[in-house]
Each structure stands twice: as structure tokens, then as C-alpha cells.
Amino acid sequence: MSEQKVAIVTAGGSGMGAGAARQLAAEGCRVAILSSSGKGEALAKELGGIGVTGSNQSNEDLQRLVDEVMNTWGRIDVLVNSAGHGPRAPVLELTDEDWHRGMEVYLLCAIRPTRLVAPIMVRQKSGVIINISTFAAFEPDPVFPTSGVFRSGLAAFTKLFADQYAEHNVRMNNVLPGFIDSLPEKEEFRGRIPMQRYGKTEEIAKVISFLASEGAGYITGQNLRVDGGITRSV
């Protein structure tokens, strides 16, 4: 390609978001990172990109990031929506506030940046949005109740978006990780995995990179499970 691709990664200061940012940069993308901890700014500096300290729950912070990227590079080719961690408790012990918090963390964190970036991609006649979701989106797990509920909603949003924007060559897909080594390993979880190991952050990053590539140009509206075989449903 004659123009270098530009990728935005939200919640990209650590974990799978940071892994995706590193992988995309290694493959030649200019990278911009949003994180609330400040780690995203540090990583962006390391990668020669743009870093903004802010929250993916703030429209103002997201707009600031998008504006800086457009003023600097003039395009956005890839958006990776990562997320933090929402409330966890037995399902009927979660309060209204917990459920609202889960919606912010797991659903609106993808919808907000998409609203800002999609019109830019439509004007370019190309773009890819990748949401980091969870294996529990289709087989709910009591350990992750708010994640499962709202990322199931994210799957529905993804299909609605993909159907509407495919004609503009703008794609959206979800990556559904299982237990990944960005979190401390627990034997009770490892024992559930047919491959008998946690996934690697780098493995998730490479899946994201593939979905952002021309090789995945005919894939949209899909949920790609990267979970070592935990899930069973078709």
C-alpha cells in the first residue's frame, strides 16, 4: 500500500490491548493508544505513535484521541476496542449500579469509539473495527456475569453494524478470547481448557492483526473464538 495504515487501540496500556498495539506496530501500522493509566502514553512513545491518557467511557477523551490522530495522520484504518474489567458477583447479588457499570465497560466502550471512527472510514471507503470480547459471550459463565451479558449484546451490535456498513467496505468482527496469560493463572480455570494451557497475549494479537489485514477482507460480522477449545456451541 502507498499509505501507511493507522490504527487506534482503546484501553491499550496493558494486556491484550497493548499486545494488539505492539503487533500492529510491528507490521507497519502507525499506532495511537488510549488508556486511563498512563501506560498507553508510554507504550505509544515506545512505538513512535500517539498516546492519550483518558477513558473509553468518556466521549470527550475519545474525541480528543480521534482529533489528534486525524490532525497528525489524516486517516484511521483500524480500530481495536479493548476493555477493562467489570463487576463480578453471583448473578442476583449484582446491583443496578453493577449492571450499569458492566454496560459501560463491556458494551458502550465499543459503541462510543465506533460512532466517532465509522464516518471517517466510510469517507475513506475502507476500515476495520475489531472488538476484544470473551468466550463467555455465547456460553455464559457465572464467574463473568456482566461480561457475558453485555458482550452477548456486543455480538448483536456487531452484526447490525456489519450488515449496514459492509457496502462501504467497513468491517467489524469480534475476537472471543478464553483464559489468557495477561491475568494470573488459576488451576481451576486451566483445568477447563482442552489444550491445558492459557492462551498467550501474542496469539490474540496475531488474530487481531489478521482480522485487520487484507487477507480477512471478506470477513465481517463474525465472532472468532480463540479459547483453546473451551466453548462447544456451534
Side-chain angles (χ1 to χ4, degrees):
M1 292 181 64
S2 59
E3 290 186 291
Q4 192 172 4
K5 285 187 175 181
V6 173
I8 287 178
V9 181
T10 65
S14 61
M16 289 180 281
R22 290 184 183 279
Q23 184 67 34
L24 290 166
E27 296 188 6
C29 286
R30 295 181 168 120
V31 175
I33 302 171
L34 177 78
S35 80
S36 59
S37 67
K39 293 180 181 178
E41 280 201 57
L43 178 57
K45 183 176 180 180
E46 174 189 329
L47 299 176
I50 293 170
V52 170
T53 297
S55 172
N56 59 5
Q57 297 176 38
S58 165
N59 286 309
E60 291 75 18
D61 290 346
L62 288 163
Q63 187 67 66
R64 181 159 52 98
L65 174 67
V66 170
D67 288 346
E68 187 166 349
V69 169
M70 291 301 291
N71 289 336
T72 304
W73 294 321
R75 62 186 297 112
I76 299 171
D77 301 282
V78 180
L79 169 63
V80 178
N81 288 314
S82 187
H85 301 284
R88 292 168 55 179
V91 67
L92 291 185
E93 294 179 18
L94 291 160
T95 65
D96 286 4
E97 290 74 19
D98 290 333
W99 286 110
H100 283 290
R101 172 72 174 161
M103 181 174 68
E104 289 281 345
V105 171
Y106 295 124
L107 178 60
L108 291 175
C109 71
I111 293 174
R112 287 193 182 100
T114 296
R115 276 198 302 249
L116 298 177
V117 168
I120 295 167
M121 293 178 168
V122 169
R123 290 197 298 271
Q124 295 171 175
K125 302 187 187 309
S126 67
V128 186
I129 301 172
I130 302 154
N131 305 312
I132 301 177
S133 182
T134 175
F135 75 95
F138 296 108
E139 294 187 19
D141 191 309
V143 179
F144 312 105
T146 58
S147 174
V149 167
F150 290 110
R151 282 167 162 167
S152 178
L154 178 60
F157 173 81
T158 295
K159 183 58 177 168
L160 290 168
F161 178 93
D163 287 352
Q164 182 171 345
Y165 286 89
E167 66 177 304
H168 302 288
N169 196 31
V170 177
R171 300 184 288 112
M172 178 183 282
N173 293 290
N174 295 328
V175 174
L176 278 56
F179 295 103
I180 304 301
D181 65 5
S182 56
L183 295 175
E185 184 169 328
K186 295 183 179 180
E187 176 60 30
E188 63 183 296
F189 295 153
R190 188 182 67 79
R192 294 169 55 186
I193 305 168
M195 291 189 75
Q196 290 293 299
R197 69 170 177 87
Y198 272 37
K200 299 176 183 178
T201 301
E202 293 81 3
E203 291 173 321
I204 302 300
K206 288 179 180 178
V207 172
I208 291 169
S209 178
F210 166 69
L211 289 173
S213 73
E214 293 180 4
Y218 204 50
I219 301 174
T220 193
Q222 303 303 308
N223 297 278
L224 184 58
R225 304 174 194 221
V226 191
D227 61 13
I230 285 179
T231 50
R232 299 289 191 273
S233 62
V234 177

